Amino acid sequence: MKSLRFLAAEGFIRSGPAALENLSCVSFNLYPIIFKACYLHEQAVLLRGLVQMWPLPDLNLQRLLGKTVDCELDLTSRTCKLCLTAILTGLKEYVLSPPRIYAKSLRVVDLTALKDVEHQACPCQSTLGRWARTQLLTKMCYETVVAMQASNVPQSVFETSVDVRLNGFITGRNYEQVAQVFLLSSYCPLKLRFVAFRADSLTLKQLFYVLRLADPEAMSKLEVVHNVPLEAVHLEVLLSRVEFPKLQSLTLPAGALDVRRLGLDDEDLLATIGNLLAQLSRLTELLVGFSTLTGHLRKLLSPLNTSLQCLELANCCLNRVDMTYLSNSLHSEALVRLDISGHNIFVSFPTCFHKLLSRCSDTLTSLALEECDIKDEHMDTFANALACCQALEELKLLGNPLTSTALRRLFSMLSAGFPKLKYIELPVPRDCYPEDVTYPLDDAVLLGYDKDLFQEVRAQLMGILDGAGRGSVEVCTPLMGAYDPDITETGNELGVSILKSFNSVVGSFIGTVTDVNKRRSQTQTDN
């Protein structure tokens, strides 16, 4: 629904070149509604001019592009390359231009509301992802500093200071440019602020250096992922030397915490890290998937002073001791999102699992149980444990050997309750695969299922939901992984980094074998 004001704004932006000329006649309180109309219809030239003349103290994309009384459309998931380039270019021109109709009052630009999604609704269908936004914004900052060296720059440039908040993404490809902009921050009117910081394909030296430059005191989210060789000893150094007073969410790369690598001198390292995490007084999300924590979960989590709301422990090799602790901890009463994929829950700790779900039943909205070897014989126990989680919105069950019969029973239960359920990741039924396959499925057989039978079963399951008036629930089977915008955007760089690491390991192995052969030959010669 659009108000008459918004319809009038749409009419204004369609008036051609005259709209840009008439901006100087527009009242300052109409700039936000014209901004959204320009973004909706991809009027990039007018959008750029609008930002260049921005008369208000803040430019917040959540307030400008989110649902408003004048236009209920939420445009924050439209990461339109054309429009975002226009906004950031207009921002640079705002800084470098003298005041026009209104005095320069812009102090904060907030881009953090942008959400990267798989299917873009913007007409141009061209996106500017998180990495590309970081790259473009740092380029604008650098060009601003360069332009300030000219002799004809107006004095207002040196009196302007604008905080630009965004969710930054740094990899080896843009590291140099980002680090350089942070170093020049005191000279640049555009002050880059990373509210969320994602690092991938960086060396430890690069990670530590750029983190110190990036104002970690203002960060609320830190993601160190994939090809960053961060381990427990490095994490201890990071947390002890860099302060994150506002950090709410921490993601560590696979294998960062591995108790198998700890020597006798490192027995208390996880407890030390736990104490350092306790100093993060706002921490509510911890994602440590694919770490090996067997028997050590208490050391890591018990020192925390705040209850975790999001906890990812996928493939962490947890045992009964770990789950006993978790199901009795204060964290269990606050969990909103939980991922314990990769654990044989009904063989290793069925009672603890039931208790854990019962304790977080009032708060839990997302539950991931992928590759947990849940079979038909476990359905009674699983249904009893799940029944108390009526606030559930997401359920992920990929990779479990459930037959179509068990899945029909599960969907019947879900459709009869769970009023907030919106999303289900459905496993391919066990009876769609050849009888001789074993779980967990390897890549060679993952896609070798009976497609026709699968579609038949899926239609039956959707029919169960439709029959209960729950047809709006999204059901999908992302066998190759759910869409990840960050990996999609930087996948080529990640692949090259992994290949280089593999070649390095192979090279070291070959070098070691060669050295052994040389020593062996020398020994035989000496004898």
Side-chain angles (χ1 to χ4, degrees):
M1 183 68 71
K2 298 176 182 178
S3 69
L4 289 176
R5 281 191 355 135
F6 194 84
L7 293 173
E10 288 181 311
F12 174 78
I13 68 171
R14 290 186 177 121
S15 60
L20 190 59
E21 297 171 6
N22 293 330
L23 271 181
S24 58
C25 303
V26 173
S27 174
F28 71 92
N29 62 331
L30 294 177
Y31 272 63
I33 196 169
I34 296 174
F35 183 98
K36 187 169 186 178
C38 287
Y39 201 95
L40 175 62
H41 296 287
E42 291 187 349
Q43 297 290 322
V45 174
L46 185 55
L47 191 59
R48 178 174 170 175
L50 201 68
V51 175
Q52 187 180 354
M53 299 172 61
W54 198 254
L56 303 170
D58 66 87
L59 195 159
N60 186 310
L61 292 192
Q62 179 59 57
R63 289 199 285 267
L64 292 170
L65 300 180
K67 291 183 178 181
T68 62
V69 293
D70 292 299
C71 178
E72 293 183 355
L73 285 173
D74 187 343
L75 305 180
T76 54
S77 61
R78 292 193 186 187
T79 52
C80 174
K81 182 176 182 179
L82 197 64
C83 291
L84 291 174
T85 301
I87 291 171
L88 296 183
T89 305
L91 182 60
K92 180 186 74 170
E93 293 168 347
Y94 170 90
V95 170
L96 295 174
S97 303
R100 297 192 181 183
I101 306 303
Y102 299 102
K104 286 189 175 182
S105 61
L106 183 61
R107 295 292 176 265
V108 178
V109 175
D110 194 331
L111 309 175
T112 58
L114 293 171
K115 298 185 286 286
D116 297 293
V117 296
E118 185 172 6
H119 303 292
Q120 281 292 317
C122 63
C124 74
Q125 293 290 298
S126 181
T127 65
L128 198 71
R130 183 174 171 183
W131 186 91
R133 294 195 294 273
T134 305
Q135 178 79 350
L136 180 58
L137 183 54
T138 51
K139 180 174 180 285
M140 294 295 107
C141 291
Y142 184 76
E143 289 179 356
T144 300
V145 174
V146 171
M148 289 171 65
Q149 310 308 310
S151 58
N152 60 343
V153 175
Q155 181 60 32
S156 62
V157 176
F158 300 93
E159 299 168 354
T160 302
S161 179
V162 182
D163 277 2
V164 186
R165 300 171 184 170
L166 80 157
N167 298 327
F169 187 2
I170 304 178
T171 66
R173 260 195 308 159
N174 67 351
Y175 164 77
E176 292 289 346
Q177 180 171 297
V178 174
Q180 192 171 38
V181 166
F182 278 128
L183 284 171
L184 295 171
S185 179
S186 59
Y187 305 101
C188 183
L190 296 174
K191 309 296 183 184
L192 204 57
R193 309 292 187 206
F194 280 7
V195 177
F197 182 110
R198 181 181 175 93
D200 194 355
S201 301
L202 295 179
T203 66
L204 288 174
K205 183 178 180 181
Q206 289 173 328
L207 173 67
F208 279 54
Y209 182 63
V210 78
L211 263 177
R212 284 184 173 276
L213 294 176
D215 190 17
E217 291 83 3
M219 292 178 191
S220 63
K221 187 173 186 177
L222 174 60
E223 299 173 273
V224 184
V225 298
H226 303 128
N227 202 39
V228 178
L230 186 75
E231 297 183 8
V233 290
H234 311 126
L235 181 62
E236 180 194 8
V237 174
L238 177 64
L239 294 177
S240 60
R241 296 188 181 181
V242 183
E243 294 186 1
F244 300 94
K246 295 183 179 180
L247 197 69
Q248 300 173 19
S249 177
L250 176 63
T251 300
L252 300 180
L257 306 178
D258 191 340
V259 297
R260 298 170 300 181
R261 297 179 191 156
L262 303 182
L264 295 176
D265 297 335
D266 300 322
E267 286 186 355
D268 296 329
L269 184 56
L270 280 187
T272 301
I273 292 174
N275 289 324
L276 290 169
L277 291 175
Q279 296 177 21
L280 307 176
S281 59
R282 300 188 183 184
L283 189 70
T284 57
E285 299 183 0
L286 184 62
L287 295 88
V288 292
F290 292 88
S291 287
T292 302
L293 298 172
T294 313
H296 290 71
L297 189 62
R298 178 190 292 271
K299 291 182 180 180
L300 186 66
L301 300 186
S302 62
L304 299 187
N305 298 314
T306 55
S307 296
L308 294 174
Q309 296 176 16
C310 175
L311 182 59
E312 183 193 332
L313 296 169
N315 296 280
C316 285
C317 301
L318 303 180
N319 61 18
R320 187 173 300 173
V321 173
D322 297 311
M323 286 300 291
T324 299
Y325 160 72
L326 183 59
S327 62
N328 288 284
S329 69
L330 292 177
H331 302 296
S332 66
E333 298 178 344
L335 288 173
V336 176
R337 304 178 66 86
L338 175 65
D339 186 347
I340 51 173
S341 300
H343 296 96
N344 196 333
I345 54 178
F346 292 115
V347 171
S348 302
F349 32 72
T351 304
C352 296
F353 173 70
H354 192 293
K355 183 174 183 178
L356 176 61
L357 291 194
S358 66
R359 284 174 64 90
C360 65
S361 59
D362 291 339
T363 57
L364 192 67
T365 64
S366 178
L367 177 63
L369 300 171
E370 300 178 11
E371 295 188 348
C372 286
D373 203 30
I374 303 174
K375 302 176 181 177
D376 289 27
E377 63 199 65
H378 302 136
M379 276 306 298
D380 287 339
T381 308
F382 183 41
N384 289 336
L386 198 61
C388 58
C389 300
Q390 292 296 311
L392 208 61
E393 297 178 11
E394 296 181 351
L395 180 61
K396 302 177 182 180
L397 296 171
L398 290 180
N400 287 294
L402 293 167
T403 66
S404 55
T405 301
L407 289 171
R408 282 192 290 269
R409 177 183 172 187
L410 176 63
F411 271 61
S412 296
M413 183 187 77
L414 294 174
S415 63
F418 302 90
K420 298 181 180 180
L421 192 63
K422 300 175 183 176
Y423 179 81
I424 302 173
E425 285 190 1
L426 169 72
V428 174
R430 174 68 182 82
D431 34 325
C432 290
Y433 284 105
E435 292 184 3
D436 58 347
V437 300
T438 57
Y439 283 75
L441 300 168
D442 57 41
D443 293 342
V445 300
L446 185 63
L447 300 178
Y449 60 92
D450 187 329
K451 309 295 192 299
D452 293 332
L453 179 57
F454 172 70
Q455 290 301 327
E456 180 183 332
V457 174
R458 189 181 188 282
Q460 294 172 358
L461 299 177
M462 293 304 298
I464 293 173
L465 292 174
D466 288 335
R470 306 293 300 280
S472 62
V473 176
E474 181 182 355
V475 179
C476 62
T477 306
L479 292 179
M480 306 310 294
Y483 175 74
D484 187 319
D486 296 318
I487 291 179
T488 301
E489 188 179 15
T490 60
N492 290 337
E493 181 179 2
L494 178 60
V496 170
S497 298
I498 291 173
L499 184 59
K500 286 181 178 178
S501 299
F502 176 74
N503 288 338
S504 176
V505 171
V506 171
S508 299
F509 176 74
I510 292 174
T512 302
V513 171
T514 302
D515 290 342
V516 170
N517 286 337
K518 285 181 179 179
R519 289 197 298 270
R520 183 179 297 167
S521 299
Q522 185 65 43
T523 302
Q524 291 173 350
T525 301
D526 293 341
N527 292 336

